[in-house]
Amino acid sequence: MSDHNCIFCKIIAGQIPCLKIYENDRILAFLDIGPVSEGHTLVVPKKHTTCVDQTDPEIMSEIGKVLPALAASIREAMGADGYNVLCNNGASAGQVVEHMHVHIIPRKVNDGVFNQWPSFQYPDGKAAAIAEKIQQNLTL
Ligand code: AMP
Ligand code: ZN
């Protein structure tokens, strides 16, 4: 199933070009057109879906199956020291293209990409309350 207004669905359908890295019948990986580092790659399910929580667990596991080999080839090809695997879900989290996608971003020491991780400390008791609330909503 595809969304006619979705740029990634158009790439999957071959209506818009991409630099393909890997493809199987469910998954496509291609170079990001606006990379934050050289080799920045996107991994997308061929079936249109918006966010991780809207995606069939089987499709998520298909993505998980290809990630290790893709990450290894990207790391090796780019001579990267490491890489980020990340997925923005929802506009508030920075998602611009509303077709679920996983970024693989090769990193080098002191490359200046994402050099801040804004962490904080919970006040007493709050972490336990949050963990409980999340567990109560879990459908697994
Ligand atoms: P996000 O902010 O997580 O939604 O990321 C969307 C990503 O899609 C950005 O990194 C864009 O550079 C990338 N992108 C948008 N259009 C294209 C395209 N036609 N081909 C490849 N990457 C694209
Ligand atoms: Zn789509």
Side-chain angles (χ1 to χ4, degrees):
M1 249 171 291
S2 68
D3 177 331
H4 293 301
N5 295 316
C6 171
I7 192 154
F8 287 175
C9 282
K10 288 181 181 165
I11 288 174
I12 290 158
Q15 294 161 359
I16 291 179
C18 73
L19 284 165
K20 189 187 300 179
I21 304 292
Y22 173 76
E23 179 175 29
N24 66 28
D25 56 346
R26 294 169 299 276
I27 306 293
L28 175 67
F30 54 97
L31 283 187
D32 193 304
I33 207 171
V36 300
S37 68
E38 291 184 355
H40 180 169
T41 297
L42 301 175
V43 187
V44 307
K46 288 190 170 177
K47 185 177 169 190
H48 181 89
T49 176
T50 53
C51 290
V52 166
D53 60 281
Q54 299 297 315
T55 303
D56 187 333
E58 294 299 319
I59 298 291
M60 291 308 302
S61 73
E62 292 295 334
I63 290 175
K65 277 185 203 164
V66 299
L67 274 177
L70 280 170
S73 68
I74 292 165
R75 183 179 200 159
E76 185 64 27
M78 304 320 298
D81 301 310
Y83 53 89
N84 295 99
V85 175
L86 63 87
C87 176
N88 300 323
N89 291 268
S92 65
Q95 184 176 18
V96 174
V97 177
E98 291 179 343
H99 181 126
M100 206 283 289
H101 52 282
V102 175
H103 296 257
I104 304 175
I105 301 172
R107 301 294 306 275
K108 291 189 176 158
V109 172
N110 295 327
D111 62 9
V113 179
F114 310 133
N115 50 14
Q116 276 198 323
W117 186 259
S119 64
F120 66 97
Q121 292 201 321
Y122 286 115
D124 277 356
K126 188 149 191 191
I130 287 174
E132 190 181 342
K133 194 171 180 183
I134 294 170
Q135 283 174 359
Q136 283 169 355
N137 282 278
L138 193 57
T139 55
L140 288 174

